[in-house]
Amino acid sequence: MTTASEISRHYTSGALLARLEARLREDGFDPARPTFEALAPYDHFHGRGVEATEDMANRLEVDATDHVLDVGSGLGGPARYFARRFGCRVSGIDLTAEFCEVARHLTSRLGLGGRVSFEQGDALSMPFDDAAFDGAYSMNVSMNIADKRALYREVHRVLAAGGWLVLSEVVQGPGGEPDYPEPWARTAATSFLATAEETRANLAAAGFTIESERDTTEDALAYSARARAVVDAGGKSPHRAVSLILGGLAEKAVANTGRALRERRTLPIELICRKAAE
């Protein structure tokens, strides 16, 4: 089994759409007529969920005429958020076929099929033309990609001159290796964490200039505390994507994520980068 197939298998358990629809019914929503708000706890898989998506979008200037790339698009929550908020076109690519199928279904249900699309494929060899996009983002994806320099080169290729890239990443911290499973990997065999320094070097080697960088650990810990308080008060967690996708593995994965954050074994960072203008 290849590394790519192992990674895809980690995220694929079958019947994902049926499970999501059952969750929506439990929440009191009609799955045939989902709303953005009803889907938000489930379709933003990355850390801090839709809060992180909104936070990232707040730091960008996106025009309605822009074409934006989502690298590792998952169930499509961020892509639909960008299209709804900015009126832009968004193309997503993800390695996991089931994610793409569910993302297309939800996008159609929400009436965004004309502006948001999803391709199943490898982010190291994307089926897009050179300079096809005005901007790109990737949220908690490169942990599954060993050759990060190749990833950043490929994103650089498909960006127009002057295009922006936002990376919301989990990197290796000074506290040692994390315990597994983590939400992105069952074992260390499919986890490829780089340090923040290595990430900066790889981006520069691919041709990007880093305009800003921030450590979002405190944001992540505060979000986790708020989510815990909601659950302790008898409510549902505001971020239910991990349990939806990973099922019985989720509880241990989430516990390991929290411990890794607290012990600084992993660090969530966000970098805003730019391809040189010609």
Side-chain angles (χ1 to χ4, degrees), residues 3-14 16 45 72-76 92-104 118-123 141 144 184 245:
T3 300
S5 60
E6 287 185 52
I7 292 167
S8 184
R9 187 169 64 89
H10 169 69
Y11 296 113
T12 305
S13 56
L16 177 58
F45 183 42
S73 46
L75 301 188
I93 185 168
D94 201 284
L95 186 65
T96 302
E98 188 175 33
F99 280 0
C100 295
E101 292 165 6
V102 174
R104 293 182 193 114
F118 301 95
E119 297 281 347
Q120 190 277 323
D122 189 339
V141 171
N144 286 135
W184 65 86
I245 292 167

PDB file of all heavy atoms in Angstrom, residues 3-14 16 45 72-76 92-104 118-123 141 144 184 245:
ATOM      1  N   THR A   3       1.918   5.311   0.434  1.00  0.00           N
ATOM      2  CA  THR A   3       1.647   6.298   1.478  1.00  0.00           C
ATOM      3  C   THR A   3       0.371   7.074   1.175  1.00  0.00           C
ATOM      4  O   THR A   3      -0.448   7.329   2.065  1.00  0.00           O
ATOM      5  CB  THR A   3       2.830   7.264   1.615  1.00  0.00           C
ATOM      6  OG1 THR A   3       4.007   6.519   1.958  1.00  0.00           O
ATOM      7  CG2 THR A   3       2.570   8.290   2.705  1.00  0.00           C
ATOM      8  N   ALA A   4       0.184   7.448  -0.096  1.00  0.00           N
ATOM      9  CA  ALA A   4      -1.015   8.199  -0.475  1.00  0.00           C
ATOM     10  C   ALA A   4      -2.283   7.412  -0.181  1.00  0.00           C
ATOM     11  O   ALA A   4      -3.268   7.957   0.319  1.00  0.00           O
ATOM     12  CB  ALA A   4      -0.954   8.574  -1.955  1.00  0.00           C
ATOM     13  N   SER A   5      -2.270   6.122  -0.496  1.00  0.00           N
ATOM     14  CA  SER A   5      -3.470   5.315  -0.241  1.00  0.00           C
ATOM     15  C   SER A   5      -3.691   5.121   1.254  1.00  0.00           C
ATOM     16  O   SER A   5      -4.835   5.056   1.717  1.00  0.00           O
ATOM     17  CB  SER A   5      -3.363   3.962  -0.957  1.00  0.00           C
ATOM     18  OG  SER A   5      -2.241   3.231  -0.509  1.00  0.00           O
ATOM     19  N   GLU A   6      -2.614   5.029   2.030  1.00  0.00           N
ATOM     20  CA  GLU A   6      -2.761   4.930   3.487  1.00  0.00           C
ATOM     21  C   GLU A   6      -3.385   6.204   4.049  1.00  0.00           C
ATOM     22  O   GLU A   6      -4.239   6.150   4.941  1.00  0.00           O
ATOM     23  CB  GLU A   6      -1.397   4.684   4.139  1.00  0.00           C
ATOM     24  CG  GLU A   6      -0.842   3.283   3.950  1.00  0.00           C
ATOM     25  CD  GLU A   6       0.446   3.107   4.725  1.00  0.00           C
ATOM     26  OE1 GLU A   6       0.451   3.406   5.935  1.00  0.00           O
ATOM     27  OE2 GLU A   6       1.444   2.688   4.123  1.00  0.00           O
ATOM     28  N   ILE A   7      -2.933   7.341   3.544  1.00  0.00           N
ATOM     29  CA  ILE A   7      -3.482   8.618   4.015  1.00  0.00           C
ATOM     30  C   ILE A   7      -4.961   8.723   3.662  1.00  0.00           C
ATOM     31  O   ILE A   7      -5.793   9.086   4.496  1.00  0.00           O
ATOM     32  CB  ILE A   7      -2.685   9.781   3.401  1.00  0.00           C
ATOM     33  CG1 ILE A   7      -1.273   9.801   3.981  1.00  0.00           C
ATOM     34  CG2 ILE A   7      -3.391  11.120   3.662  1.00  0.00           C
ATOM     35  CD1 ILE A   7      -0.314  10.700   3.240  1.00  0.00           C
ATOM     36  N   SER A   8      -5.298   8.383   2.426  1.00  0.00           N
ATOM     37  CA  SER A   8      -6.700   8.433   2.011  1.00  0.00           C
ATOM     38  C   SER A   8      -7.547   7.475   2.835  1.00  0.00           C
ATOM     39  O   SER A   8      -8.677   7.793   3.218  1.00  0.00           O
ATOM     40  CB  SER A   8      -6.801   8.108   0.524  1.00  0.00           C
ATOM     41  OG  SER A   8      -8.125   8.246   0.082  1.00  0.00           O
ATOM     42  N   ARG A   9      -7.002   6.311   3.123  1.00  0.00           N
ATOM     43  CA  ARG A   9      -7.741   5.314   3.923  1.00  0.00           C
ATOM     44  C   ARG A   9      -7.996   5.835   5.334  1.00  0.00           C
ATOM     45  O   ARG A   9      -9.041   5.536   5.937  1.00  0.00           O
ATOM     46  CB  ARG A   9      -6.956   4.009   3.971  1.00  0.00           C
ATOM     47  CG  ARG A   9      -7.706   2.846   4.635  1.00  0.00           C
ATOM     48  CD  ARG A   9      -6.965   1.538   4.405  1.00  0.00           C
ATOM     49  NE  ARG A   9      -5.660   1.555   5.034  1.00  0.00           N
ATOM     50  CZ  ARG A   9      -5.420   1.175   6.299  1.00  0.00           C
ATOM     51  NH1 ARG A   9      -6.431   0.769   7.061  1.00  0.00           N
ATOM     52  NH2 ARG A   9      -4.209   1.197   6.799  1.00  0.00           N
ATOM     53  N   HIS A  10      -7.065   6.607   5.872  1.00  0.00           N
ATOM     54  CA  HIS A  10      -7.243   7.183   7.212  1.00  0.00           C
ATOM     55  C   HIS A  10      -8.503   8.039   7.281  1.00  0.00           C
ATOM     56  O   HIS A  10      -9.214   8.038   8.282  1.00  0.00           O
ATOM     57  CB  HIS A  10      -6.012   8.022   7.570  1.00  0.00           C
ATOM     58  CG  HIS A  10      -6.177   8.857   8.795  1.00  0.00           C
ATOM     59  ND1 HIS A  10      -6.259   8.317  10.066  1.00  0.00           N
ATOM     60  CD2 HIS A  10      -6.286  10.215   8.964  1.00  0.00           C
ATOM     61  CE1 HIS A  10      -6.399   9.285  10.956  1.00  0.00           C
ATOM     62  NE2 HIS A  10      -6.425  10.447  10.307  1.00  0.00           N
ATOM     63  N   TYR A  11      -8.786   8.762   6.202  1.00  0.00           N
ATOM     64  CA  TYR A  11      -9.924   9.675   6.186  1.00  0.00           C
ATOM     65  C   TYR A  11     -11.204   9.055   5.634  1.00  0.00           C
ATOM     66  O   TYR A  11     -12.258   9.684   5.666  1.00  0.00           O
ATOM     67  CB  TYR A  11      -9.582  10.912   5.345  1.00  0.00           C
ATOM     68  CG  TYR A  11      -8.463  11.750   5.907  1.00  0.00           C
ATOM     69  CD1 TYR A  11      -7.241  11.853   5.248  1.00  0.00           C
ATOM     70  CD2 TYR A  11      -8.620  12.437   7.107  1.00  0.00           C
ATOM     71  CE1 TYR A  11      -6.204  12.629   5.757  1.00  0.00           C
ATOM     72  CE2 TYR A  11      -7.589  13.210   7.633  1.00  0.00           C
ATOM     73  CZ  TYR A  11      -6.388  13.301   6.949  1.00  0.00           C
ATOM     74  OH  TYR A  11      -5.365  14.063   7.466  1.00  0.00           O
ATOM     75  N   THR A  12     -11.109   7.836   5.107  1.00  0.00           N
ATOM     76  CA  THR A  12     -12.259   7.213   4.443  1.00  0.00           C
ATOM     77  C   THR A  12     -12.790   6.057   5.274  1.00  0.00           C
ATOM     78  O   THR A  12     -12.073   5.086   5.530  1.00  0.00           O
ATOM     79  CB  THR A  12     -11.863   6.679   3.045  1.00  0.00           C
ATOM     80  OG1 THR A  12     -11.287   7.747   2.288  1.00  0.00           O
ATOM     81  CG2 THR A  12     -13.071   6.129   2.319  1.00  0.00           C
ATOM     82  N   SER A  13     -14.042   6.155   5.670  1.00  0.00           N
ATOM     83  CA  SER A  13     -14.662   5.046   6.397  1.00  0.00           C
ATOM     84  C   SER A  13     -15.942   4.581   5.725  1.00  0.00           C
ATOM     85  O   SER A  13     -16.574   3.628   6.170  1.00  0.00           O
ATOM     86  CB  SER A  13     -14.955   5.461   7.846  1.00  0.00           C
ATOM     87  OG  SER A  13     -15.767   6.613   7.878  1.00  0.00           O
ATOM     88  N   GLY A  14     -16.346   5.259   4.639  1.00  0.00           N
ATOM     89  CA  GLY A  14     -17.568   4.879   3.932  1.00  0.00           C
ATOM     90  C   GLY A  14     -18.800   5.481   4.590  1.00  0.00           C
ATOM     91  O   GLY A  14     -18.824   5.733   5.796  1.00  0.00           O
ATOM     92  N   LEU A  16     -19.993   8.364   4.593  1.00  0.00           N
ATOM     93  CA  LEU A  16     -19.787   9.647   5.267  1.00  0.00           C
ATOM     94  C   LEU A  16     -20.999  10.558   5.119  1.00  0.00           C
ATOM     95  O   LEU A  16     -21.426  11.194   6.085  1.00  0.00           O
ATOM     96  CB  LEU A  16     -18.535  10.327   4.701  1.00  0.00           C
ATOM     97  CG  LEU A  16     -18.203  11.714   5.243  1.00  0.00           C
ATOM     98  CD1 LEU A  16     -18.014  11.684   6.756  1.00  0.00           C
ATOM     99  CD2 LEU A  16     -16.941  12.255   4.565  1.00  0.00           C
ATOM    100  N   PHE A  45     -12.859  20.873   8.903  1.00  0.00           N
ATOM    101  CA  PHE A  45     -12.208  19.771   9.620  1.00  0.00           C
ATOM    102  C   PHE A  45     -10.997  20.227  10.423  1.00  0.00           C
ATOM    103  O   PHE A  45     -10.619  19.604  11.409  1.00  0.00           O
ATOM    104  CB  PHE A  45     -11.817  18.696   8.593  1.00  0.00           C
ATOM    105  CG  PHE A  45     -11.201  17.446   9.166  1.00  0.00           C
ATOM    106  CD1 PHE A  45     -11.696  16.854  10.306  1.00  0.00           C
ATOM    107  CD2 PHE A  45     -10.118  16.852   8.530  1.00  0.00           C
ATOM    108  CE1 PHE A  45     -11.139  15.688  10.818  1.00  0.00           C
ATOM    109  CE2 PHE A  45      -9.558  15.690   9.022  1.00  0.00           C
ATOM    110  CZ  PHE A  45     -10.061  15.106  10.172  1.00  0.00           C
ATOM    111  N   GLY A  72      -6.295  20.785  -0.325  1.00  0.00           N
ATOM    112  CA  GLY A  72      -6.741  19.918   0.758  1.00  0.00           C
ATOM    113  C   GLY A  72      -8.111  20.350   1.238  1.00  0.00           C
ATOM    114  O   GLY A  72      -8.317  20.672   2.404  1.00  0.00           O
ATOM    115  N   SER A  73      -9.079  20.339   0.325  1.00  0.00           N
ATOM    116  CA  SER A  73     -10.363  21.006   0.532  1.00  0.00           C
ATOM    117  C   SER A  73     -11.347  20.243   1.415  1.00  0.00           C
ATOM    118  O   SER A  73     -12.371  20.797   1.805  1.00  0.00           O
ATOM    119  CB  SER A  73     -11.017  21.313  -0.818  1.00  0.00           C
ATOM    120  OG  SER A  73     -10.968  20.202  -1.688  1.00  0.00           O
ATOM    121  N   GLY A  74     -11.077  18.979   1.735  1.00  0.00           N
ATOM    122  CA  GLY A  74     -11.933  18.255   2.653  1.00  0.00           C
ATOM    123  C   GLY A  74     -13.389  18.225   2.232  1.00  0.00           C
ATOM    124  O   GLY A  74     -13.704  17.954   1.064  1.00  0.00           O
ATOM    125  N   LEU A  75     -14.287  18.518   3.159  1.00  0.00           N
ATOM    126  CA  LEU A  75     -15.716  18.521   2.867  1.00  0.00           C
ATOM    127  C   LEU A  75     -16.180  19.845   2.258  1.00  0.00           C
ATOM    128  O   LEU A  75     -17.369  20.020   2.003  1.00  0.00           O
ATOM    129  CB  LEU A  75     -16.527  18.235   4.139  1.00  0.00           C
ATOM    130  CG  LEU A  75     -16.246  16.911   4.836  1.00  0.00           C
ATOM    131  CD1 LEU A  75     -17.266  16.677   5.954  1.00  0.00           C
ATOM    132  CD2 LEU A  75     -16.253  15.747   3.871  1.00  0.00           C
ATOM    133  N   GLY A  76     -15.267  20.774   2.046  1.00  0.00           N
ATOM    134  CA  GLY A  76     -15.590  21.980   1.289  1.00  0.00           C
ATOM    135  C   GLY A  76     -16.090  23.160   2.081  1.00  0.00           C
ATOM    136  O   GLY A  76     -16.460  24.182   1.490  1.00  0.00           O
ATOM    137  N   GLY A  92     -11.284  23.477  -5.302  1.00  0.00           N
ATOM    138  CA  GLY A  92     -10.625  22.694  -4.277  1.00  0.00           C
ATOM    139  C   GLY A  92     -10.028  21.429  -4.855  1.00  0.00           C
ATOM    140  O   GLY A  92     -10.513  20.896  -5.853  1.00  0.00           O
ATOM    141  N   ILE A  93      -8.974  20.943  -4.223  1.00  0.00           N
ATOM    142  CA  ILE A  93      -8.392  19.655  -4.584  1.00  0.00           C
ATOM    143  C   ILE A  93      -8.123  18.880  -3.309  1.00  0.00           C
ATOM    144  O   ILE A  93      -7.669  19.446  -2.304  1.00  0.00           O
ATOM    145  CB  ILE A  93      -7.102  19.822  -5.426  1.00  0.00           C
ATOM    146  CG1 ILE A  93      -6.584  18.443  -5.882  1.00  0.00           C
ATOM    147  CG2 ILE A  93      -6.033  20.608  -4.677  1.00  0.00           C
ATOM    148  CD1 ILE A  93      -5.509  18.524  -6.937  1.00  0.00           C
ATOM    149  N   ASP A  94      -8.453  17.586  -3.327  1.00  0.00           N
ATOM    150  CA  ASP A  94      -8.235  16.748  -2.157  1.00  0.00           C
ATOM    151  C   ASP A  94      -7.898  15.335  -2.613  1.00  0.00           C
ATOM    152  O   ASP A  94      -8.409  14.856  -3.630  1.00  0.00           O
ATOM    153  CB  ASP A  94      -9.473  16.725  -1.255  1.00  0.00           C
ATOM    154  CG  ASP A  94      -9.133  16.300   0.167  1.00  0.00           C
ATOM    155  OD1 ASP A  94      -8.911  15.098   0.403  1.00  0.00           O
ATOM    156  OD2 ASP A  94      -9.047  17.190   1.044  1.00  0.00           O
ATOM    157  N   LEU A  95      -7.043  14.669  -1.835  1.00  0.00           N
ATOM    158  CA  LEU A  95      -6.616  13.310  -2.158  1.00  0.00           C
ATOM    159  C   LEU A  95      -7.723  12.292  -1.946  1.00  0.00           C
ATOM    160  O   LEU A  95      -7.770  11.252  -2.616  1.00  0.00           O
ATOM    161  CB  LEU A  95      -5.406  12.955  -1.279  1.00  0.00           C
ATOM    162  CG  LEU A  95      -4.696  11.630  -1.538  1.00  0.00           C
ATOM    163  CD1 LEU A  95      -4.052  11.626  -2.917  1.00  0.00           C
ATOM    164  CD2 LEU A  95      -3.645  11.384  -0.452  1.00  0.00           C
ATOM    165  N   THR A  96      -8.651  12.584  -1.027  1.00  0.00           N
ATOM    166  CA  THR A  96      -9.660  11.611  -0.609  1.00  0.00           C
ATOM    167  C   THR A  96     -10.929  11.744  -1.444  1.00  0.00           C
ATOM    168  O   THR A  96     -11.620  12.766  -1.383  1.00  0.00           O
ATOM    169  CB  THR A  96      -9.977  11.797   0.887  1.00  0.00           C
ATOM    170  OG1 THR A  96      -8.769  11.655   1.638  1.00  0.00           O
ATOM    171  CG2 THR A  96     -10.997  10.778   1.367  1.00  0.00           C
ATOM    172  N   ALA A  97     -11.231  10.696  -2.212  1.00  0.00           N
ATOM    173  CA  ALA A  97     -12.368  10.739  -3.135  1.00  0.00           C
ATOM    174  C   ALA A  97     -13.686  10.968  -2.406  1.00  0.00           C
ATOM    175  O   ALA A  97     -14.544  11.728  -2.877  1.00  0.00           O
ATOM    176  CB  ALA A  97     -12.421   9.447  -3.941  1.00  0.00           C
ATOM    177  N   GLU A  98     -13.868  10.327  -1.247  1.00  0.00           N
ATOM    178  CA  GLU A  98     -15.131  10.474  -0.533  1.00  0.00           C
ATOM    179  C   GLU A  98     -15.340  11.911  -0.069  1.00  0.00           C
ATOM    180  O   GLU A  98     -16.467  12.421  -0.095  1.00  0.00           O
ATOM    181  CB  GLU A  98     -15.197   9.525   0.659  1.00  0.00           C
ATOM    182  CG  GLU A  98     -16.568   9.501   1.319  1.00  0.00           C
ATOM    183  CD  GLU A  98     -16.698   8.484   2.430  1.00  0.00           C
ATOM    184  OE1 GLU A  98     -15.685   8.227   3.125  1.00  0.00           O
ATOM    185  OE2 GLU A  98     -17.802   7.937   2.608  1.00  0.00           O
ATOM    186  N   PHE A  99     -14.284  12.571   0.340  1.00  0.00           N
ATOM    187  CA  PHE A  99     -14.398  13.982   0.710  1.00  0.00           C
ATOM    188  C   PHE A  99     -14.921  14.802  -0.470  1.00  0.00           C
ATOM    189  O   PHE A  99     -15.807  15.642  -0.317  1.00  0.00           O
ATOM    190  CB  PHE A  99     -13.038  14.535   1.134  1.00  0.00           C
ATOM    191  CG  PHE A  99     -12.632  14.200   2.543  1.00  0.00           C
ATOM    192  CD1 PHE A  99     -13.437  13.442   3.377  1.00  0.00           C
ATOM    193  CD2 PHE A  99     -11.427  14.668   3.052  1.00  0.00           C
ATOM    194  CE1 PHE A  99     -13.058  13.134   4.680  1.00  0.00           C
ATOM    195  CE2 PHE A  99     -11.036  14.378   4.348  1.00  0.00           C
ATOM    196  CZ  PHE A  99     -11.848  13.612   5.161  1.00  0.00           C
ATOM    197  N   CYS A 100     -14.342  14.569  -1.644  1.00  0.00           N
ATOM    198  CA  CYS A 100     -14.748  15.335  -2.826  1.00  0.00           C
ATOM    199  C   CYS A 100     -16.205  15.071  -3.191  1.00  0.00           C
ATOM    200  O   CYS A 100     -16.940  15.993  -3.558  1.00  0.00           O
ATOM    201  CB  CYS A 100     -13.840  15.000  -4.004  1.00  0.00           C
ATOM    202  SG  CYS A 100     -12.119  15.508  -3.765  1.00  0.00           S
ATOM    203  N   GLU A 101     -16.629  13.824  -3.093  1.00  0.00           N
ATOM    204  CA  GLU A 101     -18.017  13.481  -3.414  1.00  0.00           C
ATOM    205  C   GLU A 101     -18.981  14.196  -2.473  1.00  0.00           C
ATOM    206  O   GLU A 101     -19.994  14.777  -2.911  1.00  0.00           O
ATOM    207  CB  GLU A 101     -18.209  11.966  -3.305  1.00  0.00           C
ATOM    208  CG  GLU A 101     -17.460  11.179  -4.375  1.00  0.00           C
ATOM    209  CD  GLU A 101     -17.374   9.693  -4.042  1.00  0.00           C
ATOM    210  OE1 GLU A 101     -17.992   9.268  -3.032  1.00  0.00           O
ATOM    211  OE2 GLU A 101     -16.677   8.966  -4.775  1.00  0.00           O
ATOM    212  N   VAL A 102     -18.695  14.168  -1.179  1.00  0.00           N
ATOM    213  CA  VAL A 102     -19.568  14.834  -0.208  1.00  0.00           C
ATOM    214  C   VAL A 102     -19.504  16.347  -0.394  1.00  0.00           C
ATOM    215  O   VAL A 102     -20.531  17.043  -0.318  1.00  0.00           O
ATOM    216  CB  VAL A 102     -19.192  14.429   1.228  1.00  0.00           C
ATOM    217  CG1 VAL A 102     -20.005  15.231   2.249  1.00  0.00           C
ATOM    218  CG2 VAL A 102     -19.420  12.930   1.433  1.00  0.00           C
ATOM    219  N   ALA A 103     -18.319  16.878  -0.662  1.00  0.00           N
ATOM    220  CA  ALA A 103     -18.173  18.324  -0.875  1.00  0.00           C
ATOM    221  C   ALA A 103     -19.012  18.786  -2.060  1.00  0.00           C
ATOM    222  O   ALA A 103     -19.673  19.839  -1.990  1.00  0.00           O
ATOM    223  CB  ALA A 103     -16.706  18.670  -1.098  1.00  0.00           C
ATOM    224  N   ARG A 104     -18.998  18.028  -3.152  1.00  0.00           N
ATOM    225  CA  ARG A 104     -19.804  18.402  -4.320  1.00  0.00           C
ATOM    226  C   ARG A 104     -21.294  18.369  -3.988  1.00  0.00           C
ATOM    227  O   ARG A 104     -22.057  19.246  -4.391  1.00  0.00           O
ATOM    228  CB  ARG A 104     -19.498  17.462  -5.482  1.00  0.00           C
ATOM    229  CG  ARG A 104     -18.093  17.581  -6.042  1.00  0.00           C
ATOM    230  CD  ARG A 104     -17.890  16.658  -7.230  1.00  0.00           C
ATOM    231  NE  ARG A 104     -16.488  16.542  -7.588  1.00  0.00           N
ATOM    232  CZ  ARG A 104     -15.769  15.434  -7.477  1.00  0.00           C
ATOM    233  NH1 ARG A 104     -16.326  14.323  -7.039  1.00  0.00           N
ATOM    234  NH2 ARG A 104     -14.484  15.431  -7.819  1.00  0.00           N
ATOM    235  N   PHE A 118     -14.661  20.891  -7.054  1.00  0.00           N
ATOM    236  CA  PHE A 118     -13.695  20.058  -6.341  1.00  0.00           C
ATOM    237  C   PHE A 118     -13.123  19.006  -7.269  1.00  0.00           C
ATOM    238  O   PHE A 118     -13.869  18.342  -8.007  1.00  0.00           O
ATOM    239  CB  PHE A 118     -14.349  19.393  -5.124  1.00  0.00           C
ATOM    240  CG  PHE A 118     -14.903  20.377  -4.141  1.00  0.00           C
ATOM    241  CD1 PHE A 118     -16.242  20.739  -4.199  1.00  0.00           C
ATOM    242  CD2 PHE A 118     -14.096  20.970  -3.191  1.00  0.00           C
ATOM    243  CE1 PHE A 118     -16.768  21.663  -3.311  1.00  0.00           C
ATOM    244  CE2 PHE A 118     -14.608  21.905  -2.306  1.00  0.00           C
ATOM    245  CZ  PHE A 118     -15.940  22.244  -2.361  1.00  0.00           C
ATOM    246  N   GLU A 119     -11.798  18.843  -7.202  1.00  0.00           N
ATOM    247  CA  GLU A 119     -11.092  17.826  -7.966  1.00  0.00           C
ATOM    248  C   GLU A 119     -10.454  16.832  -6.999  1.00  0.00           C
ATOM    249  O   GLU A 119      -9.863  17.235  -5.997  1.00  0.00           O
ATOM    250  CB  GLU A 119      -9.987  18.453  -8.822  1.00  0.00           C
ATOM    251  CG  GLU A 119     -10.471  19.405  -9.884  1.00  0.00           C
ATOM    252  CD  GLU A 119     -11.016  18.692 -11.105  1.00  0.00           C
ATOM    253  OE1 GLU A 119     -10.795  17.466 -11.230  1.00  0.00           O
ATOM    254  OE2 GLU A 119     -11.670  19.352 -11.924  1.00  0.00           O
ATOM    255  N   GLN A 120     -10.591  15.548  -7.305  1.00  0.00           N
ATOM    256  CA  GLN A 120      -9.865  14.543  -6.547  1.00  0.00           C
ATOM    257  C   GLN A 120      -8.484  14.400  -7.172  1.00  0.00           C
ATOM    258  O   GLN A 120      -8.363  14.173  -8.381  1.00  0.00           O
ATOM    259  CB  GLN A 120     -10.612  13.206  -6.570  1.00  0.00           C
ATOM    260  CG  GLN A 120     -10.069  12.152  -5.607  1.00  0.00           C
ATOM    261  CD  GLN A 120      -8.892  11.378  -6.160  1.00  0.00           C
ATOM    262  OE1 GLN A 120      -8.857  11.081  -7.350  1.00  0.00           O
ATOM    263  NE2 GLN A 120      -7.929  11.033  -5.313  1.00  0.00           N
ATOM    264  N   GLY A 121      -7.431  14.583  -6.382  1.00  0.00           N
ATOM    265  CA  GLY A 121      -6.101  14.488  -6.956  1.00  0.00           C
ATOM    266  C   GLY A 121      -5.011  14.784  -5.949  1.00  0.00           C
ATOM    267  O   GLY A 121      -5.261  15.052  -4.774  1.00  0.00           O
ATOM    268  N   ASP A 122      -3.787  14.726  -6.434  1.00  0.00           N
ATOM    269  CA  ASP A 122      -2.580  14.885  -5.629  1.00  0.00           C
ATOM    270  C   ASP A 122      -2.127  16.346  -5.676  1.00  0.00           C
ATOM    271  O   ASP A 122      -1.938  16.906  -6.764  1.00  0.00           O
ATOM    272  CB  ASP A 122      -1.494  13.970  -6.195  1.00  0.00           C
ATOM    273  CG  ASP A 122      -0.261  13.882  -5.304  1.00  0.00           C
ATOM    274  OD1 ASP A 122      -0.042  14.783  -4.479  1.00  0.00           O
ATOM    275  OD2 ASP A 122       0.491  12.903  -5.455  1.00  0.00           O
ATOM    276  N   ALA A 123      -1.932  16.943  -4.523  1.00  0.00           N
ATOM    277  CA  ALA A 123      -1.513  18.339  -4.470  1.00  0.00           C
ATOM    278  C   ALA A 123      -0.109  18.549  -5.022  1.00  0.00           C
ATOM    279  O   ALA A 123       0.278  19.688  -5.301  1.00  0.00           O
ATOM    280  CB  ALA A 123      -1.580  18.855  -3.027  1.00  0.00           C
ATOM    281  N   VAL A 141      -2.972  20.716   6.185  1.00  0.00           N
ATOM    282  CA  VAL A 141      -2.884  19.694   5.144  1.00  0.00           C
ATOM    283  C   VAL A 141      -1.484  19.106   5.013  1.00  0.00           C
ATOM    284  O   VAL A 141      -1.316  17.898   4.882  1.00  0.00           O
ATOM    285  CB  VAL A 141      -3.333  20.277   3.779  1.00  0.00           C
ATOM    286  CG1 VAL A 141      -3.051  19.298   2.636  1.00  0.00           C
ATOM    287  CG2 VAL A 141      -4.813  20.626   3.820  1.00  0.00           C
ATOM    288  N   ASN A 144       0.477  15.695   6.104  1.00  0.00           N
ATOM    289  CA  ASN A 144       0.416  14.421   5.390  1.00  0.00           C
ATOM    290  C   ASN A 144       1.334  14.375   4.165  1.00  0.00           C
ATOM    291  O   ASN A 144       1.323  13.388   3.429  1.00  0.00           O
ATOM    292  CB  ASN A 144      -1.002  14.117   4.920  1.00  0.00           C
ATOM    293  CG  ASN A 144      -1.936  13.696   6.034  1.00  0.00           C
ATOM    294  OD1 ASN A 144      -3.066  14.165   6.114  1.00  0.00           O
ATOM    295  ND2 ASN A 144      -1.489  12.799   6.903  1.00  0.00           N
ATOM    296  N   TRP A 184      -4.835  13.831  11.859  1.00  0.00           N
ATOM    297  CA  TRP A 184      -4.320  13.682  10.497  1.00  0.00           C
ATOM    298  C   TRP A 184      -3.606  12.346  10.244  1.00  0.00           C
ATOM    299  O   TRP A 184      -3.266  12.038   9.101  1.00  0.00           O
ATOM    300  CB  TRP A 184      -3.377  14.836  10.154  1.00  0.00           C
ATOM    301  CG  TRP A 184      -2.124  14.874  10.980  1.00  0.00           C
ATOM    302  CD1 TRP A 184      -0.952  14.197  10.739  1.00  0.00           C
ATOM    303  CD2 TRP A 184      -1.910  15.611  12.186  1.00  0.00           C
ATOM    304  NE1 TRP A 184      -0.028  14.473  11.724  1.00  0.00           N
ATOM    305  CE2 TRP A 184      -0.587  15.344  12.612  1.00  0.00           C
ATOM    306  CE3 TRP A 184      -2.692  16.496  12.925  1.00  0.00           C
ATOM    307  CZ2 TRP A 184      -0.043  15.916  13.768  1.00  0.00           C
ATOM    308  CZ3 TRP A 184      -2.147  17.050  14.062  1.00  0.00           C
ATOM    309  CH2 TRP A 184      -0.850  16.765  14.476  1.00  0.00           C
ATOM    310  N   ILE A 245     -15.780  12.285  11.020  1.00  0.00           N
ATOM    311  CA  ILE A 245     -14.909  11.646  10.034  1.00  0.00           C
ATOM    312  C   ILE A 245     -14.159  10.451  10.610  1.00  0.00           C
ATOM    313  O   ILE A 245     -14.037   9.411   9.953  1.00  0.00           O
ATOM    314  CB  ILE A 245     -13.936  12.688   9.457  1.00  0.00           C
ATOM    315  CG1 ILE A 245     -14.716  13.712   8.622  1.00  0.00           C
ATOM    316  CG2 ILE A 245     -12.842  12.034   8.614  1.00  0.00           C
ATOM    317  CD1 ILE A 245     -13.935  14.953   8.263  1.00  0.00           C
TER     318      ILE A 245
END
